[in-house]
Amino acid sequence: MIKVGIFGGAGYTGVELLRILAGHPAVQLMAVASRDKVSSKVSDMFPSLRRRVDLNFVAPEDDAFKNCDVVFFATPNGVAMSQAAGLLAAGVRVIDLAADFRIRDVMEWEKWYGMAHAAPELVAEAIYGLPEIHREQIRGARVLANPGCYPTAVQLGFLPLLEAGIIDCGHLIADAKSGVSGAGRKADMANLYSEVTDSFKAYGVAGHRHLPEIRQGLSRMVGGAEVGLTFVPHLAPMIRGIHATLYARLTHDINLKALQDLFEARFSGEAFVDVLPAGSHPETRSVRASNMCRIAVHRPQGGDTVVVLSVIDNLVKGAAGQAVQNMNIMFGEEEGLGLDIISVSP
C-alpha cells in the first residue's frame, strides 16, 4: 500500500484528492493537514466522505507526514517550496498541485508569483507531471510539479500539431473558460454566487500566471524554440470545468481527415485523452468529476486555420486526478488505478 499524506485538505483540490484516494485500492491515507481545522473530523467538514475517511485534520508539522511514501500539497503557491526539503530528507516523495516547481526559470517564477523562491535547487530537480509527454521521467521523480488546469487543457490540445510541425508556432491563440472553483475555496467577493451567476467575463488579459507555464510546455514540444502565445482566460458561470478553444495557422496543406488521424494516432492508448469524432463539439459536462480530457479538431471552411476544442474538469484532470495519475506512475501502479470515474451527468 502507498502511504499518503495531504497538505491543504480543506480546499477544493484537497477534497477532490480525498474523494479519489478514499476509493483507491492501493492507498492508505495517513494524515490530512489543515492549520485552521486541527483536531476536527475531515468528514464533519465534508459529509460526502462519511464512512470513507475516518481521520481528523492535523497540523502540517505532524510527524505522521514523515512516515508517508508521498505527500500531496494542495496548498497555495509558496507553501510546498518551504516544506518539501524536510520531507525529501525523510525519504518522502512530493507532488505539488500548486505552481512552486512548474517554471524552470526561477527569476521568471518570482516575477509572476511575487515572492522569492525558497528552494530553487528543487526546481532544477522537479519533473513536470503531464503524463502524456513526460511519463518516463515521472517514474523516477522525487519532486513532481503537477500542471495547472489551464496549462493541461491548452498543452494537450496543441500537442499533436506542434509535434508534427504543421502550424506557425509564433502565433498561437488560447481562448479558455473556467468554472469559479478554479479560484480556490476562499472568501472573495468576486466569486460570490450573486457576482458570478448570469455573467461572463475575461480576466488577466494583460498577463496571467499560467502564461509562462504554458509557453514553457509548448516550447518543449518544438525542441526549445520560442513560441508566441496569446492566452485569454475567462470566468464562466459554472462551478467546475475548463473549455479551451485553440487557434493556429497551418503551414502545411493538410485536410481535416488527416488532422483527425493525427490526433487519434497521437493519443492512441492514452487512457485519459479522448479524441472525439470529426465535427464534434465537446462539452464541459462530459468530463465533470472525471479525469478525462476530451478533444475535437476542426478546420473551418477548409481554410488555413485549425481550431482545437479541449475540455477538462479543472479539479480532476486539471488538478487532483492528474496528481493521482502521476502518483500511480511514480509507484509503478497501473496508471488509471482509482481513476475509473465516469463523468457526472446532468
Side-chain angles (χ1 to χ4, degrees):
M1 299 290 280
I2 306 169
K3 297 178 181 179
V4 171
I6 299 173
F7 280 53
Y12 289 142
T13 54
V15 71
E16 281 295 278
L17 277 170
L18 287 164
R19 177 177 73 88
I20 295 167
L21 292 171
H24 195 297
V27 161
Q28 180 183 358
L29 280 169
M30 300 291 289
V32 183
S34 175
R35 196 175 295 280
D36 296 335
K37 306 294 179 183
V38 172
S39 298
S40 62
K41 288 183 69 66
V42 172
S43 59
D44 284 349
M45 183 168 191
F46 299 114
S48 60
L49 298 174
R50 284 176 57 85
R51 302 173 68 177
R52 302 303 298 271
V53 177
D54 187 22
L55 290 171
N56 290 355
F57 288 109
V58 298
E61 297 80 15
D62 196 286
D63 287 340
F65 289 104
K66 292 188 177 179
N67 295 320
C68 293
D69 298 309
V70 62
V71 167
F72 293 88
F73 280 85
T75 48
N77 299 314
V79 175
M81 66 181 182
S82 299
Q83 301 186 35
L87 292 167
L88 293 170
V92 182
R93 298 165 94 170
V94 169
I95 298 176
D96 181 29
L97 281 74
D100 291 13
F101 305 110
R102 293 177 188 162
I103 299 174
R104 306 293 289 182
D105 185 332
V106 173
M107 291 183 64
E108 180 83 350
W109 185 91
E110 291 177 344
K111 181 182 79 173
W112 285 94
Y113 288 89
M115 64 183 91
H117 203 290
E121 72 283 359
L122 294 181
V123 174
E125 176 183 346
I127 301 300
Y128 189 69
L130 196 61
E132 292 77 11
I133 302 176
H134 303 297
R135 186 170 283 112
E136 291 308 311
Q137 298 97 310
I138 290 167
R139 297 188 198 282
R142 289 198 317 152
V143 182
L144 187 127
N146 208 60
C149 49
Y150 282 129
T152 295
V154 173
Q155 289 179 85
L156 290 176
F158 277 129
L159 176 59
L161 300 169
L162 287 171
E163 285 186 340
I166 59 172
I167 57 173
D168 176 2
C169 64
H171 299 86
L172 306 177
I173 296 173
D175 181 353
K177 293 87 175 172
S178 174
V180 71
S181 62
R185 193 170 193 255
K186 60 181 183 290
D188 186 340
M189 187 175 70
N191 298 331
L192 295 175
Y193 179 81
S194 56
E195 300 291 328
V196 173
T197 193
D198 297 326
S199 186
F200 180 80
K201 69 174 184 179
Y203 65 99
V205 179
H208 185 278
R209 286 177 171 181
H210 283 173
L211 176 61
E213 179 186 346
I214 300 171
R215 283 195 305 214
Q216 173 183 268
L218 299 181
S219 176
R220 286 174 175 171
M221 296 174 197
V222 290
E226 187 173 344
V227 170
L229 175 70
T230 299
F231 169 57
V232 181
H234 299 71
L235 181 64
M238 58 186 184
I239 295 171
R240 58 203 294 168
I242 283 181
H243 187 299
T245 305
L246 312 174
Y247 302 86
R249 186 179 66 82
L250 290 165
T251 56
H252 292 61
D253 186 13
I254 178 170
N255 62 32
L256 181 57
K257 182 182 184 305
L259 287 169
Q260 181 74 20
D261 291 345
L262 174 68
F263 274 74
E264 291 180 1
R266 177 57 180 84
F267 293 119
S268 175
E270 291 292 351
F272 298 111
V273 181
D274 178 21
V275 178
L276 300 183
S280 297
H281 295 82
E283 302 173 87
T284 57
R285 67 176 179 175
S286 75
V287 295
R288 183 180 174 88
S290 84
N291 196 50
M292 189 65 67
C293 173
R294 291 204 158 92
I295 290 176
V297 58
H298 295 258
R299 187 182 177 187
Q301 295 85 53
D304 66 356
T305 299
V306 59
V307 177
V308 181
L309 310 177
S310 174
V311 299
I312 62 170
D313 186 316
N314 57 293
L315 296 177
V316 190
K317 183 59 172 170
Q322 186 152 244
V324 173
Q325 185 180 353
N326 282 314
M327 179 200 72
N328 287 338
I329 297 169
M330 291 165 70
F331 287 89
E333 300 289 348
E334 192 278 316
E335 193 167 323
L337 196 64
L339 292 167
D340 187 17
I341 305 166
I342 297 174
S343 307
V344 176
S345 183

